[in-house]
Amino acid sequence: MKVKSLQDLAAIRKQVNDAALAAAAAEKARIEATQKAEAERHMFVRAVGAVKPIPVKARVLNLSKRPEPRPLQQDLDDQAALQESMSDEFDVSTLLDVDDQLSFRRPGIGTDITRKLRKGEWSLQGQLDLHGLRSDEAREALGQFVRDAKRMGWRCVRVVHGKGLGSPGKEPVLKSKVQRWLVQKNEVLAFVQAKPSDGGAGALVVLLGPSNV
């Protein structure tokens, strides 16, 4: 910038002074910010006094995987519901179709359904074998099996209860109980005695309602 007059010189001096003042203000602000950060960094030490680290002793790391949380209350609720919904005192005799082979179908389910079940026109998608289980174990296993089958969308399953040949008096204890329990399960639409090739009098073929999932 060429200086042509005293006014130009005064303007240049003002610009230089303004720049110097701005630089000084910036430097002052930087120093104050640094001092403030330093003060905050040492605030804890000033408050509690001198401290020293705790000596680090040998540590043992537990690397074992924690067990997955179990919905305990849900298990208890399911078990309670199972006990209530599958009673041994339930009278099933009036609900069974009495013919050469006992069968069951809910109101609204036609005889053609049980006829197709007997002929094996429904493909079996799963099976539960109750051989060797006590009555309470069999009831719990059956309830869980029906719930699991419904959840997976299975429509036709087989439940093997045995012919009672190993029971005292050769009486098929589980057979009548399984029929009684199945009738009390809303998921069950119908059941028939299995064909001889599928277990005959020692098994039932069960039709379940469609899954709501």
Side-chain angles (χ1 to χ4, degrees):
M1 180 178 180
K2 293 181 179 181
V3 179
K4 296 182 179 180
S5 64
L6 292 176
Q7 289 84 356
D8 292 342
L9 181 61
I12 292 174
R13 286 178 177 175
K14 185 177 186 307
Q15 290 178 358
V16 171
N17 289 336
D18 290 346
L21 290 174
E27 179 64 15
K28 181 180 179 182
R30 185 189 67 78
I31 293 174
E32 289 177 351
T34 302
Q35 291 175 343
K36 181 179 180 182
E38 190 69 16
E40 291 178 349
R41 191 177 302 117
H42 293 86
M43 185 182 298
F44 177 79
V45 174
R46 290 200 304 270
V48 301
V51 295
K52 62 179 181 178
I54 298 176
V56 178
K57 298 181 180 179
R59 298 178 179 177
V60 177
L61 298 179
N62 184 5
L63 301 179
S64 60
K65 185 178 179 181
R66 291 185 176 183
E68 294 294 331
R70 291 187 56 193
L72 180 59
Q73 188 57 50
Q74 181 178 342
D75 290 346
L76 294 175
D77 292 343
D78 288 346
Q79 192 172 37
L82 180 64
Q83 295 290 338
E84 294 173 1
S85 64
M86 295 171 61
S87 171
D88 287 340
E89 305 302 322
F90 188 81
D91 184 8
V92 71
S93 60
T94 59
L95 301 176
L96 297 177
D97 289 336
V98 180
D99 46 24
D100 57 333
Q101 298 172 338
L102 291 180
S103 62
F104 165 76
R105 54 190 174 89
R106 293 205 179 276
I109 302 297
T111 56
D112 59 317
I113 296 297
T114 50
R115 184 173 65 252
K116 289 179 180 180
L117 282 175
R118 283 200 180 97
K119 290 182 177 180
E121 295 187 18
W122 294 79
S123 298
L124 291 173
Q125 296 171 288
Q127 172 179 298
L128 173 66
D129 191 341
L130 300 175
H131 276 110
L133 299 183
R134 300 193 309 269
S135 177
D136 56 340
E137 294 174 336
R139 176 171 53 188
E140 185 174 348
L142 180 61
Q144 187 64 52
F145 175 71
V146 170
R147 289 197 300 274
D148 291 343
K150 185 69 180 297
R151 191 178 302 117
M152 290 185 288
W154 291 353
R155 296 299 311 279
C156 187
V157 296
R158 177 172 53 195
V159 177
V160 180
H161 48 67
K163 298 179 181 179
L165 300 179
S167 302
K170 306 299 181 182
E171 290 293 329
V173 177
L174 278 183
K175 180 176 182 178
S176 60
K177 289 190 175 184
V178 167
Q179 292 175 349
R180 186 177 298 118
W181 296 335
L182 286 175
V183 167
Q184 297 175 70
K185 297 298 291 180
N186 292 330
E187 299 92 336
V188 176
L189 299 183
F191 62 75
V192 299
Q193 181 175 298
K195 296 187 301 181
S197 59
D198 290 331
L204 294 174
V205 177
V206 183
L207 179 66
L208 302 175
S211 174
N212 295 325
V213 179

